[in-house]
Amino acid sequence: MSSANGTVGHIVSSSSGMSSNLHISSISSDEFCSIKAPFITQSSGVLRSTAFREYIKESNISSWCTDSLSDFLDYTENSPLQSSNLQLMPSEDVGKPNDWQDWADQLITDDDDGVSPNWNEILVDTPVADQHPKMAYYVGKASKTSSSLKLSTPVPASPGDACTPMTPSSCGSGSQSKPRMRWTPELHEVFMEAVNKLGGSESATPKGVLKLMKVDGLTIYHVKSHLQKYRTAKFKPVPSSEGTAEKKPTPIQDLPSFDFKTSLEITEALRLQMEVQKRLHEQLEIQKNLQMRIEEQGRYLKMIFEKQCKSGIDQFGPSSSTLERSEPELTNEVSSSPSQLETEPDPIKVELTSTEKQQVETDHSESQPSKRAKLNESSTKLS
Amino acid sequence: MKFGKRLKQHVEETLPGWRDMYLNYKDLKKLVRLISSSLEYGKSEAEFVYLLNNEIDKFNMFFMEQEEDFIIRHKELQQRIKRVNESEPSSQEEYEEEMSRIRKDIVDFHGEMVLLVNYSNINYTGMAKILKKYDKRTGGLLRLAFIQKVLEQPFFTTELVSKLVKECETTIDELFPTAMVAVELKDATITMVGEGIFRNTVAALMTMKEIRNGSSTQSHFSLPALSLPDTELIRSFQLNSPIPSI
C-alpha cells in the first residue's frame, strides 16, 4: 500500500488486511447541509496527496470518520479546521447522490437492543449533524456490492427478538464492505430451528436457512458464514476429546486406585481456574463501569461550562457569589485545553475498598451536588 | 511507557490468533509526537482520527466475530451436557471421563470469554490514553467527544459476552461435585497454569493490576489502583509455571 508518509504507511501495514473499493467525495462547507455525500473529509490538502488518497481507496472506511469529522467542524469554534477549504471531488463508481439518500433510508435499522450507536444522541445540538446519521450507515457499502444490500423493504423490527442489528462498521477481509452482523442468542435460536427443519447442519443450505428464518436485513452471506461456524463447532468436540484422552497422563480406566485422586486434583485445579477467571471478569466489569462514569463526569463538566457561558450567572440560582468562585474554577478547568483538567490539584478520587464499595469524592461539590448524589447512588448499586 | 510495555507484554502472551487484533499503541504514540511538531494541524488531525477509526473497525470486527463464535459454542456445550446426562451411560467410568472433559472444556470456554472482555477493556484503555496524549500534545479537544463514540462501539458494549459468562458460571456450579476434599492440589494446579487459557487469564489479571498501579499522571480521569486480596497466590502461579511455549 502506498502511503502519505512513512508513519502512516507503517501503521497501515500492521493492521489487518482490508480491501474495499471506496471512493471519497468531499463537499464544501457551504453545501454541507444540502448535498448528501457518503463521505466527507475536510482538508483538501489531505485528499490532494494522491498517495493518501490511494491508501484510502484501498482500505475500509467506516462511517465513523464521517461523524467524527463533522464533530470537528461543529463543536470547536476556534479550531483551524473550519478554515480549510473543502472541494468537491466526484467519485467514480458510486451512483448519484439521490440514490444514496434512498439507500440510506432503506438501510437504517432500528436499534432495539441498542447495539447500533444512537447517532442522534452522539451528535448533540448540531442541526447539520442530523443529516449525517443516514449517511453514516452505508459509507462502508457505497461501492459495487451496494446492490446486494439494497433492501426492497425498509427494516422494521422482526417478530420477537430476531431483529438483526446491523452495525455501520465495515466488514472483515474477504467480504467487501458488507455490514457486519451482530448475532444474538435469540437470532441463533431462530437459525438453529431453521437448520433443524432442513435436516441438520450438514444438509441445510444457506439459501434454505435464510428463507426459513424470515429475518429482515439478514443476507445469505451472514447465514453462510454463520452456518460454517456452526458446522465447525459441532464437529470440533470429537477430535479434541480424542486428543485429550491421549494427552491424559493417567487414563482413568487403567489406574482405578489413583483415578479418584487425579480427577479430584484436576477438578480442584479447575475450580481454582474458575476463581481466577471470575475475579478477572468481576474486575473488568467494575473497571468498565468506572470508565463510563468518568467520561460521564467529563461530559457533564463540559455541559455545565457551556451552559454557564451561554446563559450567564442566573442559571445557577441562589448565591451568585458561589458562582463567581466556581466560575473561574470551571473556566480554568474546562477551557479549550483539557490538559488543564488533568493537572487539577485535587483530582476526583474513586476508592475501592476490599468489599468493593465505591465513593466518589469531588471538590466541585458546589457546582454539581446532584451529580455527586447520582454517582454515589449508582456506585452503591455496583457493590 | 508503562502502559505500552504492559500492552506489549500482554500481546506477546496472549492467544496466538489475537495478537494482531490489539491497539497499535506504540505507532499511534509515535504519530502523536510527530503531529505535535507538525504545522498542518487540520491535516494531521484528520489522519489521526482516520487511523483511530481503523483501529476501532479492527476491534469491532474481531470482537463480533468472537462473540458470534461464543454464542454458538455456548449453545453447543449446553446441548452436549444435556446429551451426556440424558443418554444411557455406557459405564460409570466413561460417564466420568466425558464429564471430566466437559468440565475442562467449559472452564476454558469461560476463560476465553473473559479474555475477550479483557481484550475489549485493554483496547479501550489504550484508546483513552492515546487520546489523552493527543490532547496534551496538541492542545486539542479531541478526546472528550471521540471517547463518547468509543463507548458506544460494539467492541466496548460487552454486555452479551458478560451475560454468557454468567450463564456459564451457573452451569459450571451445577457440574462440579460439591464434595470438598482437602487435596494436595498445588502440583496439579501449577501444571495446569502452564497451559493455555488458565495461563492467559492469570496473566491478564496480573497485567490489569500492574496497568492500574498508579500512573505518573493520575487525574480524575484515571482509574484507581487495583486491590486483589489473593494477589500473592495468583502471582505465585506465574512464577512457578513452566516457561510458556508460544
Side-chain angles (χ1 to χ4, degrees):
Chain A
M1 277 185 212
S2 52
S3 56
N5 57 56
T7 314
V8 174
H10 178 52
I11 295 175
V12 164
S13 56
S14 57
S15 58
S16 47
M18 301 182 259
S19 58
S20 154
N21 291 325
L22 194 65
H23 306 281
I24 319 157
S25 11
S26 65
I27 58 176
S28 71
S29 37
D30 297 328
E31 298 155 293
F32 219 52
C33 303
S34 46
I35 297 182
K36 302 186 184 0
F39 189 79
I40 300 152
T41 64
Q42 71 250 61
S43 166
S44 59
V46 173
L47 296 173
R48 271 206 198 112
S49 152
T50 13
F52 191 61
R53 195 169 163 216
E54 273 304 308
Y55 161 67
I56 291 174
K57 266 192 194 173
E58 291 167 0
S59 46
N60 277 340
I61 298 172
S62 77
S63 55
W64 258 73
C65 254
T66 314
D67 279 341
S68 53
L69 290 171
S70 69
D71 258 11
F72 294 153
L73 295 165
D74 291 333
Y75 82 90
T76 47
E77 270 121 26
N78 47 3
S79 158
L81 300 176
Q82 270 207 327
S83 55
S84 62
N85 202 8
L86 301 180
Q87 281 185 348
L88 240 180
M89 282 208 265
S91 51
E92 298 123 45
D93 292 354
V94 196
K96 292 195 185 116
N98 294 330
D99 292 341
W100 299 330
Q101 173 85 52
D102 293 331
W103 295 347
D105 289 333
Q106 288 165 2
L107 285 168
I108 289 172
T109 62
D110 55 318
D111 38 333
D112 270 356
D113 50 356
V115 168
S116 18
N118 187 347
W119 298 107
N120 288 322
E121 222 175 39
I122 296 170
L123 305 165
V124 179
D125 289 340
T126 50
V128 175
D130 284 344
Q131 307 188 329
H132 294 186
K134 295 189 183 178
M135 291 185 263
Y137 274 79
Y138 62 87
V139 166
K141 312 153 198 166
S143 59
K144 54 188 171 184
T145 57
S146 53
S147 52
S148 67
L149 299 170
K150 204 170 185 174
L151 304 169
S152 46
T153 55
V155 188
S158 315
D161 352 42
C163 161
T164 68
M166 288 212 279
T167 62
S169 56
S170 34
C171 228
S173 52
S175 50
Q176 298 187 9
S177 55
K178 289 188 243 310
R180 177 79 202 160
M181 170 67 68
R182 193 167 192 189
W183 284 80
T184 66
E186 294 80 19
L187 191 59
H188 182 63
E189 289 281 341
V190 175
F191 169 85
M192 282 195 298
E193 274 171 30
V195 166
N196 289 332
K197 275 190 197 153
L198 292 172
S201 58
E202 285 307 292
S203 39
T205 65
K207 195 173 176 187
V209 172
L210 178 67
K211 240 180 156 181
L212 265 179
M213 281 178 76
K214 290 196 267 264
V215 172
D216 283 330
L218 193 61
T219 71
I220 196 164
Y221 301 104
H222 297 142
V223 175
K224 199 171 173 191
S225 77
H226 196 78
L227 186 60
Q228 207 167 4
K229 286 183 196 276
Y230 187 63
R231 285 175 179 156
T232 313
K234 278 210 170 277
F235 293 102
K236 207 184 135 190
V238 175
S240 76
S241 63
E242 284 169 5
T244 356
E246 284 158 30
K247 271 190 255 171
K248 264 195 197 154
T250 52
I252 289 182
Q253 297 96 310
D254 295 346
L255 303 163
S257 52
F258 294 146
D259 311 329
F260 184 61
K261 189 170 183 239
T262 312
S263 94
L264 212 65
E265 273 184 0
I266 291 175
T267 309
E268 285 308 308
L270 283 174
R271 232 190 268 269
L272 206 66
Q273 182 176 347
M274 274 310 289
E275 284 309 306
V276 169
Q277 286 169 187
K278 269 161 122 173
R279 180 165 299 276
L280 177 58
H281 186 235
E282 193 182 57
Q283 290 300 326
L284 284 167
E285 283 195 300
I286 292 171
Q287 183 159 313
K288 183 179 153 189
N289 275 310
L290 274 179
Q291 286 166 333
M292 286 170 75
R293 296 268 175 274
I294 284 171
E295 295 309 325
E296 208 176 294
Q297 183 128 33
R299 221 176 21 185
Y300 181 77
L301 280 172
K302 182 169 175 254
M303 190 187 74
I304 294 268
F305 174 63
E306 283 169 358
K307 263 191 180 164
Q308 257 193 323
C309 282
K310 280 180 192 166
S311 51
I313 291 178
D314 294 322
Q315 176 96 19
F316 276 78
S319 63
S320 53
S321 57
T322 311
L323 288 163
E324 279 170 52
R325 257 183 289 137
S326 59
E327 195 181 14
E329 198 179 78
L330 282 174
T331 317
N332 285 336
E333 293 154 13
V334 197
S335 65
S336 55
S337 165
S339 56
Q340 291 182 8
L341 263 173
E342 286 146 22
T343 54
E344 188 63 26
D346 294 314
I348 298 166
K349 293 189 190 90
V350 184
E351 291 157 18
L352 277 173
T353 63
S354 55
T355 55
E356 260 116 41
K357 226 177 168 188
Q358 295 177 37
Q359 261 181 333
V360 180
E361 291 172 296
T362 164
D363 69 342
H364 314 305
S365 49
E366 283 163 335
S367 45
Q368 39 182 340
S370 55
K371 181 68 174 177
R372 185 189 190 174
K374 188 178 166 203
L375 278 168
N376 277 337
E377 182 207 324
S378 46
S379 55
T380 49
K381 276 188 201 155
L382 281 170
S383 54
Chain B
M1 189 55 195
K2 208 171 181 186
F3 177 80
K5 269 200 194 129
R6 296 284 163 225
L7 176 63
K8 186 173 168 203
Q9 220 173 21
H10 177 84
V11 168
E12 278 167 11
E13 289 173 343
T14 198
L15 302 162
W18 295 33
R19 280 195 202 121
D20 292 329
M21 298 299 170
Y22 282 87
L23 181 67
N24 283 315
Y25 186 73
K26 200 169 169 192
D27 293 333
L28 285 167
K29 228 174 78 166
K30 279 187 195 157
L31 184 61
V32 168
R33 256 186 238 136
L34 277 175
I35 284 180
S36 56
S37 50
S38 144
L39 296 167
E40 296 169 321
Y41 180 72
K43 172 178 169 181
S44 310
E45 181 145 319
E47 277 181 26
F48 186 67
V49 166
Y50 175 77
L51 290 167
L52 285 182
N53 287 336
N54 275 0
E55 293 295 288
I56 287 165
D57 275 349
K58 183 172 75 178
F59 302 153
N60 283 339
M61 188 196 88
F62 177 70
F63 185 86
M64 291 194 282
E65 187 104 26
Q66 290 296 313
E67 195 184 45
E68 190 180 340
D69 263 332
F70 289 156
I71 291 174
I72 295 175
R73 282 160 67 189
H74 182 77
K75 192 71 199 177
E76 285 312 299
L77 265 169
Q78 286 178 337
Q79 288 186 337
R80 188 174 153 198
I81 292 168
K82 206 170 157 196
R83 270 200 307 268
V84 170
N85 281 330
E86 283 175 1
S87 70
E88 284 293 313
S90 9
S91 78
Q92 183 63 17
E93 281 167 1
E94 278 188 30
Y95 174 78
E96 275 303 322
E97 215 178 303
E98 183 60 25
M99 283 310 283
S100 169
R101 266 182 238 132
I102 288 178
R103 270 186 228 121
K104 176 92 173 70
D105 285 348
I106 200 171
V107 170
D108 275 349
F109 179 62
H110 176 270
E112 239 185 286
M113 288 198 286
V114 175
L115 282 170
L116 188 67
V117 180
N118 185 56
Y119 164 89
S120 158
N121 207 281
I122 283 193
N123 285 320
Y124 174 83
T125 306
M127 278 236 134
K129 282 180 181 287
I130 205 81
L131 284 167
K132 179 176 165 181
K133 284 190 199 299
Y134 180 88
D135 278 354
K136 196 171 177 187
R137 279 267 182 177
T138 64
L141 260 179
L142 181 55
R143 188 182 182 281
L144 267 178
F146 200 89
I147 208 81
Q148 297 303 325
K149 294 174 199 175
V150 179
L151 287 172
E152 314 230 353
Q153 289 301 296
F155 86 90
F156 190 73
T157 52
T158 54
E159 287 82 19
L160 177 58
V161 179
S162 285
K163 189 177 113 183
L164 290 177
V165 167
K166 300 224 172 82
E167 282 177 18
C168 218
E169 283 167 15
T170 313
T171 313
I172 287 170
D173 283 338
E174 292 163 9
L175 280 184
F176 274 65
T178 49
M180 286 291 201
V181 182
V183 171
E184 263 302 318
L185 50 90
K186 213 165 189 247
D187 293 332
T189 313
I190 289 168
T191 315
M192 284 184 63
V193 174
E195 297 162 20
I197 302 288
F198 194 5
R199 179 171 65 80
N200 279 287
T201 48
V202 168
L205 197 52
M206 293 314 296
T207 301
M208 185 191 218
K209 182 171 169 63
E210 302 197 356
I211 287 177
R212 280 179 50 179
N213 226 358
S215 75
S216 51
T217 53
Q218 194 92 23
S219 73
H220 50 259
F221 282 109
S222 307
L223 293 165
L226 187 63
S227 63
L228 298 169
D230 40 19
T231 309
E232 283 317 305
L233 176 64
I234 295 170
R235 206 193 289 269
S236 74
F237 290 157
Q238 278 194 317
L239 295 172
N240 290 333
S241 67
I243 314 269
S245 53
I246 295 167

